[in-house]
Protein backbone atom coordinates (compact mmCIF):
# COMPACT_ATOMS: atom_id res chain seq x y z
CA UNK A 1 0.00 0.00 0.00
CA UNK A 2 1.30 3.49 -0.91
CA UNK A 3 2.40 5.75 1.88
CA UNK A 4 0.54 9.03 2.26
CA UNK A 5 1.96 12.51 1.67
CA UNK A 6 0.67 15.99 2.41
CA UNK A 7 -0.06 18.66 -0.19
CA UNK A 8 2.33 21.61 0.42
CA UNK A 9 -0.48 24.09 -0.31
CA UNK A 10 -3.59 22.82 1.51
CA UNK A 11 -2.02 20.02 3.59
CA UNK A 12 -4.51 17.46 2.28
CA UNK A 13 -3.30 13.89 2.82
CA UNK A 14 -3.26 11.83 -0.37
CA UNK A 15 -1.34 9.04 -2.16
CA UNK A 16 2.02 10.06 -3.74
CA UNK A 17 0.74 9.15 -7.19
CA UNK A 18 -1.90 11.89 -6.91
CA UNK A 19 0.30 14.61 -5.42
CA UNK A 20 1.54 16.27 -8.62
CA UNK A 21 -1.87 16.48 -10.25
CA UNK A 22 -3.50 17.71 -7.06
CA UNK A 23 -0.82 20.34 -6.40
CA UNK A 24 -1.09 21.65 -9.95
CA UNK A 25 -4.83 22.06 -9.48
CA UNK A 26 -4.17 24.88 -7.00
CA UNK A 27 -3.01 26.97 -9.94
CA UNK A 28 -5.98 26.18 -12.16
CA UNK A 29 -8.47 28.99 -12.70
CA UNK A 30 -11.28 26.49 -12.82
CA UNK A 31 -12.06 25.76 -9.16
CA UNK A 32 -14.27 22.86 -10.24
CA UNK A 33 -11.24 20.94 -11.49
CA UNK A 34 -9.49 21.38 -8.17
CA UNK A 35 -12.56 20.22 -6.30
CA UNK A 36 -12.77 17.04 -8.39
CA UNK A 37 -9.09 16.30 -7.83
CA UNK A 38 -9.40 16.78 -4.09
CA UNK A 39 -12.46 14.57 -3.99
CA UNK A 40 -10.63 11.85 -5.93
CA UNK A 41 -7.84 12.00 -3.39
CA UNK A 42 -10.36 11.77 -0.55
CA UNK A 43 -12.01 8.73 -2.08
CA UNK A 44 -8.67 6.99 -2.59
CA UNK A 45 -7.49 7.67 0.93
CA UNK A 46 -10.77 6.55 2.48
CA UNK A 47 -10.58 3.35 0.46
CA UNK A 48 -7.06 2.82 1.78
CA UNK A 49 -8.23 3.37 5.34
CA UNK A 50 -10.92 0.74 4.98
CA UNK A 51 -8.95 -1.49 2.53
CA UNK A 52 -12.03 -1.65 0.29
CA UNK A 53 -14.32 1.00 -1.24
CA UNK A 54 -17.08 2.05 1.20
CA UNK A 55 -19.56 0.93 2.28
CA UNK A 56 -17.69 -2.25 3.18
CA UNK A 57 -18.55 -5.43 5.00
CA UNK A 58 -15.12 -5.07 6.60
CA UNK A 59 -16.47 -2.00 8.36
CA UNK A 60 -19.61 -3.75 9.57
CA UNK A 61 -20.00 -3.56 13.32
CA UNK A 62 -20.78 -7.16 14.20
CA UNK A 63 -23.94 -7.82 16.18
CA UNK A 64 -22.14 -10.10 18.60
CA UNK A 65 -19.63 -7.40 19.52
CA UNK A 66 -20.18 -5.52 22.74
CA UNK A 67 -21.00 -1.83 22.63
CA UNK A 68 -17.51 -0.98 23.88
CA UNK A 69 -15.97 -3.11 21.13
CA UNK A 70 -18.07 -1.42 18.46
CA UNK A 71 -17.15 2.04 19.70
CA UNK A 72 -13.47 1.14 19.96
CA UNK A 73 -13.53 -0.19 16.39
CA UNK A 74 -15.24 2.93 15.10
CA UNK A 75 -12.79 5.23 16.87
CA UNK A 76 -9.84 3.40 15.36
CA UNK A 77 -11.29 3.42 11.83
CA UNK A 78 -12.99 6.79 11.62
CA UNK A 79 -11.59 9.24 9.15
CA UNK A 80 -11.23 13.02 9.43
CA UNK A 81 -13.56 14.75 6.99
CA UNK A 82 -11.74 16.85 4.44
CA UNK A 83 -12.94 20.37 3.80
CA UNK A 84 -11.62 23.64 2.46
CA UNK A 85 -9.73 25.47 5.23
CA UNK A 86 -10.38 29.20 5.11
CA UNK A 87 -6.96 30.85 5.20
CA UNK A 88 -7.82 33.62 7.65
CA UNK A 89 -7.44 33.74 11.44
CA UNK A 90 -10.82 32.89 12.94
CA UNK A 91 -12.18 31.56 9.66
CA UNK A 92 -15.43 32.63 8.03
CA UNK A 93 -16.93 34.02 11.23
CA UNK A 94 -14.06 36.49 11.63
CA UNK A 95 -14.38 37.51 7.99
CA UNK A 96 -18.13 37.98 8.45
CA UNK A 97 -17.54 40.01 11.60
CA UNK A 98 -15.09 42.24 9.73
CA UNK A 99 -17.65 42.92 7.02
CA UNK A 100 -20.19 44.05 9.59
CA UNK A 101 -17.58 46.17 11.37
CA UNK A 102 -17.05 48.10 8.14
CA UNK A 103 -20.75 48.95 8.13
CA UNK A 104 -21.20 52.46 9.56
CA UNK A 105 -24.88 51.89 10.36
CA UNK A 106 -25.18 52.66 14.08
CA UNK A 107 -28.71 51.19 14.15
CA UNK A 108 -27.39 47.67 13.56
CA UNK A 109 -26.41 45.00 16.08
CA UNK A 110 -25.01 41.64 15.02
CA UNK A 111 -24.82 38.54 17.22
CA UNK A 112 -22.56 35.71 16.07
CA UNK A 113 -21.49 32.31 17.25
CA UNK A 114 -17.77 31.69 17.50
CA UNK A 115 -15.58 29.75 15.09
CA UNK A 116 -17.31 27.44 12.62
CA UNK A 117 -15.86 25.44 9.74
CA UNK A 118 -18.02 25.37 6.61
CA UNK A 119 -18.64 21.91 5.18
CA UNK A 120 -19.99 21.98 1.64
CA UNK A 121 -21.85 19.22 -0.13
CA UNK A 122 -19.82 17.67 -2.95
CA UNK A 123 -21.27 16.68 -6.30
CA UNK A 124 -19.32 13.43 -6.28
CA UNK A 125 -20.28 12.49 -2.73
CA UNK A 126 -23.44 13.85 -1.13
CA UNK A 127 -25.10 16.49 -3.33
CA UNK A 128 -28.87 16.28 -3.01
CA UNK A 129 -29.01 14.31 0.22
CA UNK A 130 -26.10 15.18 2.54
CA UNK A 131 -27.05 18.63 3.84
CA UNK A 132 -28.11 17.25 7.23
CA UNK A 133 -24.77 15.52 7.75
CA UNK A 134 -22.89 18.66 6.65
CA UNK A 135 -24.76 20.75 9.20
CA UNK A 136 -23.90 18.24 11.92
CA UNK A 137 -20.28 18.62 10.86
CA UNK A 138 -20.52 22.40 11.14
CA UNK A 139 -21.99 22.23 14.64
CA UNK A 140 -19.35 19.68 15.60
CA UNK A 141 -16.52 21.92 14.39
CA UNK A 142 -17.79 24.68 16.66
CA UNK A 143 -18.15 22.39 19.67
CA UNK A 144 -14.65 20.95 19.19
CA UNK A 145 -13.24 24.46 18.94
CA UNK A 146 -15.11 26.09 21.83
CA UNK A 147 -16.09 23.46 24.39
CA UNK A 148 -13.41 21.36 26.04
CA UNK A 149 -16.01 19.22 27.79
CA UNK A 150 -17.61 18.37 24.46
CA UNK A 151 -14.32 17.74 22.64
CA UNK A 152 -13.39 15.10 25.22
CA UNK A 153 -16.58 13.17 24.45
CA UNK A 154 -17.46 13.76 20.80
CA UNK A 155 -16.52 10.93 18.47
CA UNK A 156 -14.51 9.12 21.11
CA UNK A 157 -12.40 12.16 21.98
CA UNK A 158 -10.79 12.09 18.52
CA UNK A 159 -10.62 15.88 18.38
CA UNK A 160 -11.76 16.03 14.75
CA UNK A 161 -14.96 15.96 12.69
CA UNK A 162 -15.47 12.54 11.03
CA UNK A 163 -16.54 12.05 7.45
CA UNK A 164 -20.18 11.22 6.65
CA UNK A 165 -19.87 7.39 6.63
CA UNK A 166 -18.53 7.48 10.18
CA UNK A 167 -21.19 9.94 11.34
CA UNK A 168 -23.69 7.42 10.00
CA UNK A 169 -22.07 4.76 12.19
CA UNK A 170 -22.20 7.06 15.23
CA UNK A 171 -25.92 7.55 14.62
CA UNK A 172 -26.44 3.78 14.50
CA UNK A 173 -24.57 3.44 17.79
CA UNK A 174 -26.76 6.17 19.30
CA UNK A 175 -29.82 4.19 18.24
CA UNK A 176 -28.39 1.00 19.70
CA UNK A 177 -27.85 2.84 22.98
CA UNK A 178 -31.57 3.63 23.00
CA UNK A 179 -31.62 7.21 21.70
CA UNK A 180 -34.63 7.96 19.47
CA UNK A 181 -36.01 4.43 19.24
CA UNK A 182 -38.78 5.66 16.93
CA UNK A 183 -36.28 7.12 14.46
CA UNK A 184 -34.16 4.00 14.60
CA UNK A 185 -37.14 1.85 13.66
CA UNK A 186 -38.08 4.23 10.86
CA UNK A 187 -34.66 3.67 9.24
CA UNK A 188 -34.67 -0.05 10.05
CA UNK A 189 -31.78 0.63 12.45
CA UNK A 190 -29.37 1.31 9.59
CA UNK A 191 -28.15 4.37 7.65
CA UNK A 192 -24.51 3.49 6.92
CA UNK A 193 -23.73 3.73 3.21
CA UNK A 194 -27.20 5.07 2.39
CA UNK A 195 -28.36 8.37 0.91
CA UNK A 196 -31.23 8.83 3.35
CA UNK A 197 -32.15 12.38 4.22
CA UNK A 198 -31.88 13.13 7.90
CA UNK A 199 -33.12 15.99 10.06
CA UNK A 200 -33.06 17.58 13.48
CA UNK A 201 -34.10 14.36 15.22
CA UNK A 202 -31.02 12.52 13.99
CA UNK A 203 -28.86 15.53 14.81
CA UNK A 204 -30.19 15.56 18.36
CA UNK A 205 -29.78 11.78 18.73
CA UNK A 206 -26.09 11.88 17.77
CA UNK A 207 -25.20 14.75 20.11
CA UNK A 208 -27.33 13.41 22.97
CA UNK A 209 -25.57 10.05 22.75
CA UNK A 210 -22.39 11.88 23.80
CA UNK A 211 -24.17 13.58 26.69
CA UNK A 212 -24.81 16.92 24.99
CA UNK A 213 -28.12 18.62 25.74
CA UNK A 214 -29.51 18.89 22.22
CA UNK A 215 -33.06 20.30 22.04
CA UNK A 216 -35.62 20.65 19.25
CA UNK A 217 -38.10 23.46 18.61
CA UNK A 218 -40.88 23.23 16.01
CA UNK A 219 -42.48 26.25 14.34
CA UNK A 220 -45.68 26.02 12.35
CA UNK A 221 -49.30 27.15 11.94
CA UNK A 222 -52.04 25.98 14.27
CA UNK A 223 -53.80 23.98 11.56
CA UNK A 224 -50.67 21.83 11.05
CA UNK A 225 -50.16 21.22 14.75
CA UNK A 226 -51.08 17.54 14.47
CA UNK A 227 -48.14 17.02 12.11
CA UNK A 228 -45.79 17.76 14.96
CA UNK A 229 -47.06 14.95 17.20
CA UNK A 230 -44.90 11.95 17.96
CA UNK A 231 -47.54 9.47 16.80
CA UNK A 232 -49.90 10.44 13.96
CA UNK A 233 -53.57 10.74 14.74
CA UNK A 234 -53.20 10.98 18.50
CA UNK A 235 -54.32 13.75 20.80
CA UNK A 236 -52.12 16.38 22.41
CA UNK A 237 -51.58 14.02 25.31
CA UNK A 238 -50.52 10.75 23.69
CA UNK A 239 -49.26 7.76 25.65
CA UNK A 240 -45.56 7.03 25.90
CA UNK A 241 -44.38 5.80 22.52
CA UNK A 242 -42.19 2.81 21.83
CA UNK A 243 -40.75 1.47 18.62
CA UNK A 244 -43.73 -0.90 18.37
CA UNK A 245 -45.92 2.07 17.53
CA UNK A 246 -43.90 2.95 14.46
CA UNK A 247 -46.25 1.20 12.02
CA UNK A 248 -48.66 4.09 12.52
CA UNK A 249 -45.79 6.44 11.91
CA UNK A 250 -44.91 4.86 8.57
CA UNK A 251 -48.49 5.25 7.36
CA UNK A 252 -48.40 8.98 8.13
CA UNK A 253 -48.46 11.36 5.19
CA UNK A 254 -45.48 13.69 5.54
CA UNK A 255 -44.36 16.95 4.00
CA UNK A 256 -40.82 16.30 2.80
CA UNK A 257 -37.92 14.88 4.81
CA UNK A 258 -39.05 16.21 8.19
CA UNK A 259 -41.27 13.26 8.98
CA UNK A 260 -40.65 13.17 12.71
CA UNK A 261 -42.01 16.32 14.28
CA UNK A 262 -42.14 15.63 17.98
CA UNK A 263 -43.93 17.64 20.63
CA UNK A 264 -43.67 17.27 24.41
CA UNK A 265 -45.66 14.11 25.09
CA UNK A 266 -47.37 15.47 28.20
CA UNK A 267 -47.55 19.15 27.24
CA UNK A 268 -50.50 20.96 25.72
CA UNK A 269 -49.31 23.84 23.54
CA UNK A 270 -51.72 26.14 25.33
CA UNK A 271 -49.88 25.39 28.59
CA UNK A 272 -46.47 26.63 27.42
CA UNK A 273 -46.92 30.18 28.69
CA UNK A 274 -47.76 28.95 32.18
CA UNK A 275 -44.75 26.63 32.07
CA UNK A 276 -42.50 29.56 31.27
CA UNK A 277 -43.98 31.56 34.13
CA UNK A 278 -43.49 28.67 36.52
CA UNK A 279 -39.90 28.10 35.46
CA UNK A 280 -39.03 31.79 35.72
CA UNK A 281 -39.59 31.46 39.46
CA UNK A 282 -37.29 28.48 39.85
CA UNK A 283 -33.95 27.16 38.63
CA UNK A 284 -33.56 25.69 35.15
CA UNK A 285 -35.13 22.26 34.91
CA UNK A 286 -34.20 19.77 32.20
CA UNK A 287 -37.47 17.90 31.80
CA UNK A 288 -37.89 14.33 30.68
CA UNK A 289 -37.29 14.09 26.99
CA UNK A 290 -34.97 17.04 27.06
CA UNK A 291 -37.12 20.03 26.12
CA UNK A 292 -36.02 23.17 27.90
CA UNK A 293 -39.33 25.02 27.64
CA UNK A 294 -37.98 28.17 29.32
CA UNK A 295 -35.43 28.64 26.53
CA UNK A 296 -37.67 27.47 23.73
CA UNK A 297 -40.50 29.91 24.50
CA UNK A 298 -38.62 32.92 25.87
CA UNK A 299 -40.15 35.60 23.66
CA UNK A 300 -43.59 37.23 23.10
CA UNK A 301 -45.76 34.84 21.13
CA UNK A 302 -48.21 37.42 19.78
CA UNK A 303 -46.25 38.07 16.58
CA UNK A 304 -47.15 37.91 12.93
CA UNK A 305 -46.23 34.78 11.02
CA UNK A 306 -42.59 33.84 10.84
CA UNK A 307 -41.52 36.75 13.03
CA UNK A 308 -41.80 34.41 16.02
CA UNK A 309 -38.94 32.32 14.61
CA UNK A 310 -36.75 35.40 14.15
CA UNK A 311 -37.57 36.55 17.69
CA UNK A 312 -36.62 33.14 19.04
CA UNK A 313 -33.27 33.16 17.25
CA UNK A 314 -32.54 36.70 18.48
CA UNK A 315 -33.30 35.71 22.06
CA UNK A 316 -31.20 32.57 21.72
CA UNK A 317 -28.08 34.46 20.68
CA UNK A 318 -28.70 37.46 22.95
CA UNK A 319 -28.59 35.63 26.28
CA UNK A 320 -26.61 38.14 28.35
CA UNK A 321 -25.08 35.51 30.60
CA UNK A 322 -23.53 33.79 27.59
CA UNK A 323 -21.94 36.81 25.92
CA UNK A 324 -18.16 36.48 25.92
CA UNK A 325 -16.86 39.51 24.07
CA UNK A 326 -17.93 42.63 22.23
CA UNK A 327 -15.70 43.46 19.31
CA UNK A 328 -17.39 46.84 18.88
CA UNK A 329 -20.83 48.30 19.33
CA UNK A 330 -22.10 46.54 16.21
CA UNK A 331 -20.77 42.97 16.52
CA UNK A 332 -21.07 40.66 19.50
CA UNK A 333 -19.49 37.20 19.65
CA UNK A 334 -21.44 34.86 21.93
CA UNK A 335 -20.91 31.43 23.43
CA UNK A 336 -23.98 30.11 21.67
CA UNK A 337 -23.62 27.01 19.50
CA UNK A 338 -24.85 27.48 15.90
CA UNK A 339 -28.36 26.28 15.13
CA UNK A 340 -29.35 23.36 12.90
CA UNK A 341 -32.07 24.93 10.73
CA UNK A 342 -34.46 22.53 8.94
CA UNK A 343 -37.33 23.02 6.56
CA UNK A 344 -38.98 20.96 3.84
CA UNK A 345 -36.31 19.83 1.39
CA UNK A 346 -33.17 21.38 2.88
CA UNK A 347 -31.29 22.26 6.05
CA UNK A 348 -28.71 24.92 6.85
CA UNK A 349 -26.73 26.26 9.81
CA UNK A 350 -27.61 29.56 11.51
CA UNK A 351 -24.42 31.20 12.82
CA UNK A 352 -25.94 34.46 14.00
CA UNK A 353 -28.55 37.16 13.50
CA UNK A 354 -28.55 40.84 12.55
CA UNK A 355 -30.88 43.37 14.15
CA UNK A 356 -31.49 46.71 12.48
CA UNK A 357 -33.90 49.43 13.52
CA UNK A 358 -35.32 50.98 10.38
CA UNK A 359 -36.07 54.68 9.93
CA UNK A 360 -39.74 54.08 10.68
CA UNK A 361 -38.72 52.50 13.99
CA UNK A 362 -39.74 48.98 12.96
CA UNK A 363 -37.09 46.35 13.86
CA UNK A 364 -35.71 44.21 11.05
CA UNK A 365 -34.00 40.86 11.54
CA UNK A 366 -31.75 38.92 9.18
CA UNK A 367 -30.67 35.37 9.88
CA UNK A 368 -26.98 34.74 9.15
CA UNK A 369 -26.68 31.34 7.53
CA UNK A 370 -24.00 28.98 6.24
CA UNK A 371 -25.48 26.77 3.54
CA UNK A 372 -23.90 23.38 2.69
CA UNK A 373 -25.00 23.96 -0.91
CA UNK A 374 -22.65 26.94 -1.23
CA UNK A 375 -18.98 26.57 -2.11
CA UNK A 376 -16.63 27.52 0.71
CA UNK A 377 -14.22 29.17 -1.73
CA UNK A 378 -17.00 31.45 -2.99
CA UNK A 379 -18.02 32.34 0.58
CA UNK A 380 -14.44 33.20 1.52
CA UNK A 381 -13.88 35.28 -1.61
CA UNK A 382 -17.08 37.28 -1.18
CA UNK A 383 -16.28 38.05 2.47
CA UNK A 384 -12.68 39.00 1.76
CA UNK A 385 -13.79 41.34 -1.01
CA UNK A 386 -16.81 42.54 0.99
CA UNK A 387 -18.90 42.03 -2.13
CA UNK A 388 -21.73 39.62 -2.81
CA UNK A 389 -21.67 37.92 0.60
CA UNK A 390 -25.04 39.29 1.70
CA UNK A 391 -26.97 37.30 -0.89
CA UNK A 392 -25.16 34.14 0.27
CA UNK A 393 -25.47 34.58 4.04
CA UNK A 394 -28.25 37.03 4.98
CA UNK A 395 -31.85 35.79 5.08
CA UNK A 396 -34.68 38.13 6.06
CA UNK A 397 -38.27 37.43 7.07
CA UNK A 398 -39.40 37.63 3.44
CA UNK A 399 -37.34 34.52 2.64
CA UNK A 400 -39.13 32.37 5.22
CA UNK A 401 -41.84 31.00 2.96
CA UNK A 402 -42.14 27.42 4.21
CA UNK A 403 -45.14 26.47 6.39
CA UNK A 404 -42.98 24.60 8.91
CA UNK A 405 -39.50 25.03 10.35
CA UNK A 406 -37.46 23.14 12.91
CA UNK A 407 -34.41 24.10 14.95
CA UNK A 408 -31.96 22.02 16.94
CA UNK A 409 -29.89 23.83 19.56
CA UNK A 410 -27.41 22.62 22.17
CA UNK A 411 -27.47 23.85 25.76
CA UNK A 412 -24.34 24.15 27.91
CA UNK A 413 -23.21 21.30 30.14
CA UNK A 414 -22.95 17.53 29.95
CA UNK A 415 -25.72 15.14 30.98
CA UNK A 416 -25.00 12.22 33.27
CA UNK A 417 -26.97 9.57 35.14
CA UNK A 418 -30.73 9.92 35.08
CA UNK A 419 -30.67 12.94 32.81
CA UNK A 420 -28.81 10.90 30.20
CA UNK A 421 -31.61 8.33 30.33
CA UNK A 422 -34.21 11.07 29.92
CA UNK A 423 -32.45 12.39 26.83
CA UNK A 424 -33.05 9.10 25.03
CA UNK A 425 -36.68 10.06 24.46
CA UNK A 426 -36.58 12.92 21.97
CA UNK A 427 -39.40 15.44 21.96
CA UNK A 428 -39.75 19.13 21.18
CA UNK A 429 -41.59 22.32 21.94
CA UNK A 430 -44.16 23.43 19.37
CA UNK A 431 -44.47 27.18 18.75
CA UNK A 432 -47.34 28.47 16.66
CA UNK A 433 -46.78 30.87 13.77
Amino acid sequence: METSVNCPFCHLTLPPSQLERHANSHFDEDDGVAEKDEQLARDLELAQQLSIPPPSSTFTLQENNTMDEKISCLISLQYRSSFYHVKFPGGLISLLSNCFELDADTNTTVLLSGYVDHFQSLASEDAGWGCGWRNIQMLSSHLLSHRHDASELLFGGSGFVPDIPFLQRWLEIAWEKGFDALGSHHFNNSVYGSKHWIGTTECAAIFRSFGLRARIVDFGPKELQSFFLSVPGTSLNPPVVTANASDKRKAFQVYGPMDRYLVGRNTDVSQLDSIVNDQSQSSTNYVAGGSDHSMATRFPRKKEGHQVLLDWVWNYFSEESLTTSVQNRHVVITNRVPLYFQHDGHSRTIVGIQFRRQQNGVPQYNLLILDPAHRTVALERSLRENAGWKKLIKRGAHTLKKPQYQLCYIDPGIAIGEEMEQLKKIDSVFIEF
Side-chain angles (χ1 to χ4, degrees):
M1 182 181 298
E2 291 183 292
T3 58
S4 298
V5 294
N6 293 327
C7 171
F9 302 105
C10 68
H11 306 293
L12 180 71
T13 302
L14 66 165
S17 59
Q18 297 294 322
L19 177 60
E20 181 178 358
R21 182 183 179 189
H22 168 81
N24 288 336
S25 71
H26 286 282
F27 301 97
D28 291 338
E29 293 183 0
D30 183 0
D31 289 326
V33 174
E35 179 181 306
K36 291 179 181 177
D37 287 344
E38 290 189 18
Q39 181 56 32
L40 176 60
R42 290 184 64 205
D43 293 343
L44 288 172
E45 186 177 4
L46 180 56
Q48 289 176 338
Q49 286 279 342
L50 302 181
S51 301
I52 183 171
S56 160
S57 59
T58 305
F59 191 37
T60 300
L61 304 181
Q62 300 299 326
E63 292 297 327
N64 57 350
N65 289 347
T66 67
M67 178 62 67
D68 288 342
E69 289 173 339
K70 292 179 180 180
I71 293 175
S72 177
C73 177
L74 180 52
I75 292 173
S76 65
L77 289 174
Q78 66 183 347
Y79 175 80
R80 182 192 300 268
S81 183
S82 296
F83 61 96
Y84 176 81
H85 291 266
V86 174
K87 302 170 183 65
F88 188 85
L92 289 178
I93 298 300
S94 289
L95 285 171
L96 179 58
S97 176
N98 289 347
C99 288
F100 279 115
E101 288 174 359
L102 294 173
D103 188 349
D105 188 351
T106 58
N107 293 319
T108 294
T109 299
V110 177
L111 306 179
L112 294 170
S113 66
Y115 182 91
V116 183
D117 287 317
H118 178 255
F119 288 79
Q120 71 177 63
S121 293
L122 301 174
S124 57
E125 183 174 335
D126 64 297
W129 60 270
C131 58
W133 299 107
R134 297 304 184 184
N135 290 309
I136 290 174
Q137 288 179 321
M138 286 193 239
L139 267 62
S140 298
S141 72
H142 175 91
L143 290 165
L144 291 172
S145 176
H146 288 266
R147 284 184 50 177
H148 179 70
D149 58 350
S151 66
E152 289 184 328
L153 297 171
L154 279 173
F155 316 121
S158 64
F160 60 78
V161 179
D163 211 349
I164 290 177
F166 303 103
L167 289 179
Q168 292 175 327
R169 283 301 196 202
W170 282 114
L171 177 58
E172 291 176 351
I173 284 179
W175 287 338
E176 190 170 345
K177 288 181 176 179
F179 291 88
D180 189 22
L182 206 60
S184 175
H185 192 85
H186 174 80
F187 287 105
N188 294 320
N189 312 314
S190 176
V191 290
Y192 175 67
S194 74
K195 296 182 179 181
H196 291 310
W197 289 7
I198 63 165
T200 52
T201 308
E202 288 71 43
C203 176
I206 287 179
F207 287 124
R208 286 186 178 200
S209 69
F210 295 110
L212 300 184
R213 292 163 171 157
R215 323 286 185 189
I216 297 176
V217 185
D218 288 304
F219 298 86
K222 183 73 172 179
E223 56 268 24
L224 292 180
Q225 183 173 324
S226 61
F227 288 87
F228 292 83
L229 296 177
S230 56
V231 179
T234 58
S235 67
L236 281 174
N237 296 297
V240 176
V241 179
T242 65
N244 293 331
S246 60
D247 287 340
K248 294 176 65 178
R249 168 196 179 115
K250 285 190 174 182
F252 182 42
Q253 181 179 359
V254 299
Y255 288 82
M258 294 187 297
D259 57 350
R260 285 176 310 286
Y261 287 89
L262 307 174
V263 90
R265 273 61 182 273
N266 299 311
T267 303
D268 191 312
V269 174
S270 64
Q271 299 173 352
L272 291 180
D273 287 333
S274 63
I275 291 175
V276 174
N277 292 333
D278 292 341
Q279 291 190 342
S280 65
Q281 301 174 10
S282 61
S283 60
T284 301
N285 177 34
Y286 295 102
V287 298
S291 295
D292 182 355
H293 297 283
S294 63
M295 178 65 242
T297 60
R298 194 174 296 165
F299 60 86
R301 294 179 62 234
K302 300 301 181 181
K303 296 287 184 178
E304 293 185 4
H306 297 75
Q307 184 63 37
V308 294
L309 190 155
L310 296 171
D311 286 347
W312 189 97
V313 174
W314 172 261
N315 279 278
Y316 172 80
F317 281 104
S318 64
E319 285 288 294
E320 293 182 359
S321 61
L322 296 176
T323 299
T324 58
S325 64
V326 179
Q327 295 182 328
N328 62 25
R329 60 184 174 180
H330 301 306
V331 182
V332 179
I333 304 298
T334 76
N335 268 343
R336 281 302 193 184
V337 179
L339 297 165
Y340 185 115
F341 182 40
Q342 176 82 57
H343 59 78
D344 181 16
H346 194 39
S347 62
R348 295 165 288 175
T349 296
I350 299 176
V351 296
I353 187 169
Q354 177 192 28
F355 167 85
R356 182 178 181 275
R357 190 166 296 282
Q358 303 177 89
Q359 291 183 351
N360 60 5
V362 177
Q364 179 187 58
Y365 292 106
N366 289 300
L367 299 177
L368 305 176
I369 286 174
L370 293 182
D371 192 332
H374 291 156
R375 296 178 61 243
T376 313
V377 171
L379 287 170
E380 179 187 20
R381 182 185 300 119
S382 66
L383 289 168
R384 282 183 179 274
E385 297 174 356
N386 196 17
W389 63 268
K390 294 180 180 180
K391 67 180 181 180
L392 297 175
I393 295 176
K394 291 177 64 172
R395 295 292 181 270
H398 65 284
T399 67
L400 302 177
K401 300 179 180 180
K402 299 293 183 178
Q404 308 160 49
Y405 289 91
Q406 207 171 39
L407 294 174
C408 180
Y409 67 98
I410 299 176
D411 271 331
I414 301 296
I416 58 174
E418 179 59 28
E419 184 187 347
M420 191 71 166
E421 288 299 311
Q422 293 172 346
L423 290 176
K424 291 181 177 180
K425 184 179 69 173
I426 298 179
D427 63 2
S428 78
V429 171
F430 174 79
I431 297 174
E432 180 186 349
F433 277 156

